[in-house]
Amino acid sequence: MKHYFRNYAIALVVILSAIGCAFAQNTLQTEVKVVGGITTLYAIDPLARTFCFGDGREGGAFEQNEARNRCSDIDFNSYYEGNFTVGVEGGRIGTILDLGNSAELQKRYGYEARLYPF
């Protein structure tokens, strides 16, 4: 059961990061051009347990010796142990869709998964 959840969680994060990073915006400091990728959310890391789709970095930052929210589009383990939360920032609404595992997606959409070395 643990591996089953992990596969869905990894697929979800990859899909969401690819979609979200496609909408990357310019920042005041430097121009950010994010085209996709894979990220890991760390449950006990106050900075890296959240993710920002706008620039493809962790959603937390240290400010005045405190961990604070910088830009959180998705969160893991902060609100509910072992769960993802979306729409973290005030007034935002989000939904997590379970698209199925890779075998189900390959069957439904007729594609062949290829792994590329990094």
Side-chain angles (χ1 to χ4, degrees), residues 7 22 28 33 49 53 64 75 79 86 91 105 111:
N7 290 341
L28 297 176
K33 199 173 206 177
R49 66 181 172 213
F53 291 133
Q64 297 176 353
D75 171 274
Y79 297 95
V86 294
L105 293 173
Y111 74 92

Side-chain angles (χ1 to χ4, degrees), residues 15-110:
I15 290 168
L16 290 175
S17 65
I19 292 169
C21 292
F23 298 102
Q25 302 172 355
N26 294 339
T27 64
L28 297 176
Q29 298 171 354
T30 60
E31 186 173 317
V32 177
K33 199 173 206 177
V34 181
V35 293
I38 297 174
T39 191
T40 302
L41 301 178
Y42 296 95
I44 60 172
D45 186 324
L47 305 184
R49 66 181 172 213
T50 58
F51 182 74
C52 177
F53 291 133
D55 60 12
R57 298 183 339 184
E58 59 275 340
F62 281 115
E63 187 178 299
Q64 297 176 353
N65 298 321
E66 292 180 347
R68 297 191 180 179
N69 181 39
R70 182 185 67 81
C71 168
S72 299
D73 293 309
I74 188 167
D75 171 274
F76 179 68
N77 208 55
S78 294
Y79 297 95
Y80 303 101
E81 186 176 335
N83 289 285
F84 290 104
T85 305
V86 294
V88 177
E89 295 176 338
R92 296 176 77 185
I93 299 172
T95 302
I96 297 175
L97 299 175
D98 182 356
L99 301 175
N101 63 30
S102 60
E104 292 169 344
L105 293 173
Q106 287 177 17
K107 183 178 178 183
R108 183 179 303 146
Y109 297 108

